[in-house]
Amino acid sequence: MVDSATNDPVDVLIIGAGASGAAVAWSLADTKMRIVCLEQGDWTNSAEYPTTGKNWEVLQHGAYSINPNVRGRATDYPINNNDSPIDVVNFNGVGGGTIMYAAHFPRLHPSDFKVKSLDGVADDWPISYDTLDSYFTQNDRMMGVSGLAGDPMYPPKQPPLPPIPMGLVGDKIASGYDKLGWHWWPSDSAIISQQYEGRDKCLNLGPCMSGCSQGAKSSVDITYWPEALRQGVELRTRCRVREVTVSEEGMANGVIYYNEAGEECFQAAEVVVMACNGVGTPRILLNSVSEHFPDGLANSSGLVGKNLMFHPIGYVQGVFDEQLDSHRGPTGCCILSKEFYETDLDRGFVRGYNMQISRGSGPFNTAIQGYHSGRIPWGADHHKAFQSMFDHTAGVAVLCEDLPELHNTVTLDPDLKDSDGIPAAKINYTLSENSQKMLAHGLARAEEVMEAAGAKEIVNNGMIRSAGWHLLGTARMGEDPKTSVVNHWGRSHDVKNLFIVDGSIFVTSGGVNPTSTIQALALYIADTMKKNLANLFD
Amino acid sequence: MNDSTKDSNVITSDQPLTSEQAELLSSLLNVIIPPSDDGVMPGAGELDLVSYLREQTPEVVATIRQASSFFEFDFPSKSATERHQLVVEFSVTEPEMFNTLLFQSYACYYQNDRVLTGLGLAAGPPFPRGNSVDSGDLTTLDKVVQNAKGYRRV
């Protein structure tokens, strides 16, 4: 085994340089502790992102696919989705999922933290919206978030930048919501609408989910990381952690990882912070088997890898007579609706969903998706069908709250391994009856909106398979060590120098994209660690 | 199926297709995406597929070559109806290969400057040119605020 560069123990070792790892690294940096982050992927280079080339749309089907099994980079690890109707999507590299996310940036709502008290399902979080409020604001400022204050569906908040343009798509769909008398609001977006902190504003390129060549999308490689590095945090790329090791006393004392050459290395640490999100974190914990922890690290509750929550996403597309310039502007950020977000049992299900309006595809994806859906044929009728679709569509994505269920799991695949021989993650997931009812309700309402907005054709695509962006709940937080993995500030109940700061600690999922809340949680945990440095392990 | 061992069918290192294969493929692609009636949009076979293929992986080139080998070299001289029918038959008997051919045909077509300008778009990649988007109408939000149920207090 190769010892790390210095072989000196570091004060804090963070695993994963994505949304939460970057935030916690930046926050802890002002302690002047020696902090190292290990990241299995590389830095990305915005000059190489797809929109710098003519084949920008084609690359989304290969090297820049959101699906790691399709992308298949050396820095990715395979994921077995065979027993799940939803495929996990992610990105492995500095920035993590923020490199390829749509940057739709809503916060969880106050009610999302108290679902047991309010609706009698799942569990309450051990913290509240108010606990995170100041961290949401801090994170919005660090990331650069655009939006419009005054949304009545949230407590007061003030995004630092004005909203990104709604465009003709936003106007058209908003007219549908207005006719129905339903709520809509410009989306909070982690995309800068004006120059901000040395970054140039959004150019409306369109395909945010294959990386932003302009640097206007707020991925953490260009927000938190430059600041954290300037403050002395060390970030090592191409370091894939296999397991967290423990001392004879049962405390975490470092990690074993593989470097780019595939050599096995050891890095000692006083504190280990997991920031690999809802699949990566349980994968490493379950692979960290020792005499003290035969069922995986921090797993005395048996809940590591259990209660996996996605957000089941359904999609309805409307085709309009009018030209909507659909391919222009951030694909996934436009307007949203919270009309059906809160529980109304008359709908036949508990909890609710967000409706996220999306723009259309570029010409290649319009053609290839149209072929597969049977709506744009090849041959003599191709041009006519293509022109009726291209720049004439808008979409409503219905993003449903998923409730925790023990049988939805991340485990270690007995056969499939990554290029370093580490077991791959295996997903077992079924869609609950509640989620099915919610999805059906949302899809029907999305069709109503399209009709009200004047769509000449409405296509209900049902649930989307390749949409497992949001990976939550697999190491939940709580006060009781028997029913949770970490306490109310992210510290493992079992291993007092092990912290988890990513989406795996969510108790429930809410019905919105989680990155804003994940980062607020990471900042809150880091701040709590700083306040408790003198007795961190008590 | 055509005979890929004919003397004229020599593939040099920088030529992904022989001239006969290129002619056949051009005709085949014009069936998949024919020129538009008004002449604004070119047929897929009118574009420089050979240059496109030079930028692709050997696996893609091999698949395209294999797909074209399912058609006889007299394919271009057949009637439009016959050519269409042959492609339909190919799509049914070899769906995976047809889908690859279609994917690459569309990929080549919809990144071509002539096609993009025919659609009224700017030629070339989106960056750094960018796009302009209207800010949108926020005037009805006052009514949204009046009507909204508000967030659920806890």
Side-chain angles (χ1 to χ4, degrees), chain A residues 2 4 30 34 40 46 51 53 59 112 121 131 151 161 251 318 361 425 444 459 494:
Chain A
V2 179
S4 63
D30 60 23
R34 185 172 175 212
Q40 66 186 318
S46 63
T51 51
L59 289 172
D112 292 324
V121 292
T131 311
D151 185 351
L161 293 162
M251 295 286 273
S361 300
V459 185
D494 299 345

Side-chain angles (χ1 to χ4, degrees), chain B residues 40-57:
Chain B
V40 173
M41 301 302 295
E46 296 171 39
L47 307 180
D48 187 359
L49 185 75
V50 171
S51 294
Y52 172 80
L53 287 177
R54 278 200 198 103
E55 297 168 359
Q56 307 308 310
T57 64

